[in-house]
Amino acid sequence: MHPFARPVVLLAACITCALHGDSNCYEPHDDPGCDDPKCEALVCNEDPFCCEATWDANCVEIALDVCEEDDNGGGGGGGDDALGCDDAELIDTVGDFPFDNTFSEAAIDLSGTCDPGPSGNDILYKPVWFRWTCPEDDAYIFSTCNQAAFNTRIAIFEGSCDLETTITCLDDTPGCGVFTTEIGLSCEGGTEYVVCVGSYAPFLFGSGTLTIEPAQRILVREVAWTTDLGAPEDMIYEAWEPAGGVTDWDGCLQDAAKNGDELVSITNAEENTVVAALFSGFSSGFQAFGLYQDLGSSDYSEPAGGWSFTNGDPLSFTNWSPGEPNDTGNVEHVGQIGASGAWNDLDGSRAEWNAYATRRPGTPFRYTWSKEDGGNGHEYEAFALPVDMTILEAHAYAEQRGGHLVSINSSAEQAMLNQYVIDACYSELAIVIGLVQDLDAADYVEPAGGWKWSSGEPLEYTNWRTGEPNDNPVGENFAEMYDNGTWNDLQSGSVAKAVIIEYGTDVSDCPEDLDGDGIVGGADLTILLGMWGQSDENIDLDGSGAVDGGDLTILLGAWGPCS
């Protein structure tokens, strides 16, 4: 079974092949097709009319030419391969394999067998062939992606290039230039596969490279569960797409193990919320965690007995949906969790599992915008939130962590965030930034007046999305960022999905910068004067034991950007 592809149009019934004629291939007759499936395929590959309308004298002439040659071991058919792949290049390893289809004159019609995509017909024009022996059981990628100068199509057969052996085919792959192709397949070690690379149209041809390589799993989403949000230790939870795409539950388990991971166990309600947040972006397929039913367990019974975690953790918490587990069909022996956090028992053999969850000790992503790179020396911490939090609560949380929600003071800073930081949020929207609207400000007016940064910095640069801010609905006095870096105003009670927290320069580098914004200025002066006469080691710059004129002199002497 070939449980996945990236993307794959699964093999349908071979309509043409299923309607073989009953009459002699070497005699004209009114019905389409003839009584030799291999000869029929060879003839119809040259003239589809013979399988669509009637087997006339022209079809007989073609049969006498190609079928008799094929029966004698030469010519167009080639042994057991009805589509004519005798000249296929033999390969038994992974790597890059150059090709050139300029002088190929054939056409492979997969109509009724495999649909490569919604555009055009189902024909691979000017094909070139490879016979590849799979080195070992694994998922593999077959790709011309950005490696050919023309619109490619790929079809893969098992053992031979008869239509009946077609496994999968594909035309265009999103993200691949010039409409080139990338396709995935689960392969069995020692099995021979025939790979056809063709073009979209007979006038498209040239050179290119076919790459065959083991598929790699893809990190789809990452959520940080930190101790200040209830974790026993800082942990990173990761949602992975299995190598090659969709697989069965065992495929998820094996893919995790191959990469040194275990499927995640869920030990309490808080952790369940985290894993649910991890899968919040999935709207189809099944998402796996480490829950399975041990049919050999002493407490096994259907439907609720014998459940355990693959990593050995005890089952001390459950969150089954109402009526679950129910062992529908007597085959549901693994657990699935969705974005709601509710559990369901499912059939693990179904090839519909598109993600699995793992966890590891770790802290949220941080990036330092160094002064050597033209930055301010600040650190930027970005992560998807594992718990429900409003925009207003996100502001307080950033301060609790010792920083503030990011202030964006220039196009250069925005570009830095776009390039290095935003992707770590794993969110398309509701990435909370430190922009707030001060309703008491002298310049306040809806929708665009009174905006400032929560750090106290003035608003000198904006990157509002087209039509924003619009204060619609009324009360949109906070701001979010989309994954393309543009901003939108929204209400304080809106849901925060991710945060970017900015941490200023270290005190030892610029002790006069009391608010940590990288600049010694009016905000720092206000802080100092507010603590006048009091004892505060962070503001007592000269160490005299009290905030006084000596500290004021030091602060004024350092006025301006921290160096």
Side-chain angles (χ1 to χ4, degrees):
M1 180 169 61
H2 305 278
F4 79 89
R6 182 201 306 280
V8 166
V9 180
L10 294 177
L11 178 63
C14 180
I15 297 174
T16 301
C17 302
L19 298 176
H20 299 308
D22 296 326
S23 302
N24 194 310
C25 294
Y26 303 103
E27 296 177 359
H29 46 268
D30 294 333
D31 297 328
C34 70
D35 59 0
D36 183 338
K38 184 169 68 172
C39 182
E40 178 187 80
L42 288 169
V43 173
C44 294
N45 185 54
E46 293 204 16
D47 187 354
F49 177 86
C50 300
C51 286
E52 295 172 354
T54 183
W55 194 271
D56 60 16
N58 181 62
C59 303
V60 172
E61 183 177 350
I62 297 173
L64 290 169
D65 180 29
V66 300
C67 299
E68 288 191 349
E69 286 186 8
D70 183 63
D71 291 340
N72 293 326
D80 294 327
D81 302 310
L83 300 182
C85 57
D86 272 354
D87 59 349
E89 179 180 345
L90 300 178
I91 51 180
D92 59 2
T93 185
V94 295
D96 297 329
F97 307 99
F99 63 83
D100 191 323
N101 73 337
T102 302
F103 299 106
S104 174
E105 297 180 356
I108 307 304
D109 190 351
L110 299 179
S111 299
T113 301
C114 190
D115 181 1
S119 300
N121 54 35
D122 299 338
I123 299 175
L124 278 70
Y125 293 95
K126 303 180 76 68
V128 292
W129 298 90
F130 299 86
R131 283 187 180 274
W132 176 70
T133 302
C134 178
E136 59 180 333
D137 291 358
D138 206 344
Y140 292 85
I141 295 295
F142 301 76
S143 176
T144 61
C145 184
N146 300 321
Q147 299 184 129
F150 62 94
N151 185 337
T152 59
R153 287 177 165 178
I154 294 177
I156 303 177
F157 308 79
E158 184 173 341
S160 69
C161 57
D162 291 323
L163 288 174
E164 291 91 339
T165 66
T166 309
I167 300 172
T168 186
C169 61
L170 189 65
D171 187 359
D172 309 332
T173 299
C176 295
V178 203
F179 304 104
T180 45
T181 313
E182 182 173 289
I183 191 169
L185 191 68
S186 288
C187 300
E188 297 179 3
T191 300
E192 185 178 75
Y193 298 86
V194 180
V195 183
C196 177
V197 180
S199 65
Y200 177 82
F203 53 83
L204 299 174
F205 54 86
S207 60
T209 299
L210 171 69
T211 296
I212 304 176
E213 60 186 357
Q216 303 295 321
R217 66 178 183 173
I218 298 173
L219 181 61
V220 180
R221 183 170 167 80
E222 181 179 286
V223 169
W225 191 25
T226 53
T227 55
D228 54 17
L229 290 176
E233 62 176 313
D234 286 346
M235 300 292 292
I236 301 297
Y237 289 73
E238 295 168 323
W240 297 95
E241 177 187 299
V246 180
T247 183
D248 56 21
W249 187 88
D250 279 337
C252 291
L253 179 67
Q254 293 165 12
D255 194 60
K258 184 174 71 173
N259 289 278
D261 289 327
E262 296 177 330
L263 298 184
V264 71
S265 58
I266 299 177
T267 57
N268 54 52
E270 292 77 13
E271 189 170 26
N272 196 74
T273 298
V274 173
V275 178
L278 183 67
F279 288 134
S280 62
F282 289 83
S283 58
S284 63
F286 304 141
Q287 294 77 53
F289 66 122
L291 186 66
Y292 79 108
Q293 193 173 26
D294 183 355
L295 306 187
S297 172
S298 60
D299 66 340
Y300 165 70
S301 64
E302 290 297 349
W307 289 95
S308 184
F309 288 114
T310 55
N311 65 1
D313 284 351
L315 186 66
S316 56
F317 166 83
T318 63
N319 194 42
W320 294 108
S321 292
E324 302 293 345
N326 58 10
D327 192 33
T328 299
N330 300 316
V331 293
E332 294 188 331
H333 305 307
V334 299
Q336 185 259 350
I337 182 173
S340 70
W343 301 2
N344 181 28
D345 61 331
L346 288 175
D347 178 3
S349 68
R350 294 172 63 176
E352 300 176 55
W353 298 81
N354 59 3
Y356 63 85
T358 64
R359 67 169 172 243
R360 59 178 172 83
T363 57
F365 169 86
R366 284 200 179 200
Y367 177 79
T368 299
W369 194 23
S370 68
K371 294 180 181 179
E372 291 77 10
D373 292 333
N376 53 18
H378 292 190
E379 275 194 311
Y380 298 79
E381 182 180 53
F383 57 100
L385 291 167
V387 298
D388 293 336
M389 189 178 295
T390 67
I391 301 297
L392 189 61
E393 289 169 340
H395 278 260
Y397 176 60
E399 294 179 6
Q400 175 188 331
R401 286 186 68 81
H404 58 80
L405 291 176
V406 63
S407 303
I408 307 171
N409 294 306
S410 65
S411 59
E413 189 168 12
Q414 182 69 67
M416 176 274 297
L417 294 173
N418 290 357
Q419 183 173 0
Y420 298 111
V421 180
I422 291 178
D423 283 350
C425 294
Y426 292 95
S427 181
E428 296 180 357
L429 73 169
I431 303 169
V432 193
I433 60 177
L435 195 60
V436 296
Q437 192 174 29
D438 183 355
L439 308 188
D440 296 322
D443 63 341
Y444 165 71
V445 63
E446 289 297 351
W451 290 96
K452 67 177 184 179
W453 297 106
S454 60
S455 63
E457 299 164 84
L459 183 64
E460 298 177 342
Y461 165 82
T462 63
N463 193 36
W464 292 110
R465 193 172 191 173
T466 301
E468 303 295 343
N470 60 6
D471 196 38
N472 185 19
V474 174
E476 293 191 327
N477 308 130
F478 291 80
E480 66 176 333
M481 186 162 58
Y482 292 94
D483 59 358
N484 66 359
T486 58
W487 310 347
N488 174 52
D489 59 334
L490 75 176
Q491 296 174 322
S492 62
S494 300
V495 174
K497 294 185 177 294
V499 292
I500 299 177
I501 302 174
E502 184 175 352
Y503 300 89
T505 51
D506 191 86
V507 172
S508 61
D509 295 329
C510 190
E512 301 85 3
D513 178 21
L514 303 179
D515 63 355
D517 65 355
I519 300 172
V520 180
D524 306 297
L525 178 59
T526 300
I527 293 172
L528 187 145
L529 295 176
M531 295 296 295
W532 197 266
Q534 301 181 47
S535 176
D536 187 313
E537 62 180 11
N538 294 320
I539 302 175
D540 180 20
L541 301 176
D542 61 3
S544 66
V547 179
D548 54 21
D551 307 301
L552 178 61
T553 300
I554 293 172
L555 187 145
L556 295 176
W559 200 264
C562 293
S563 57

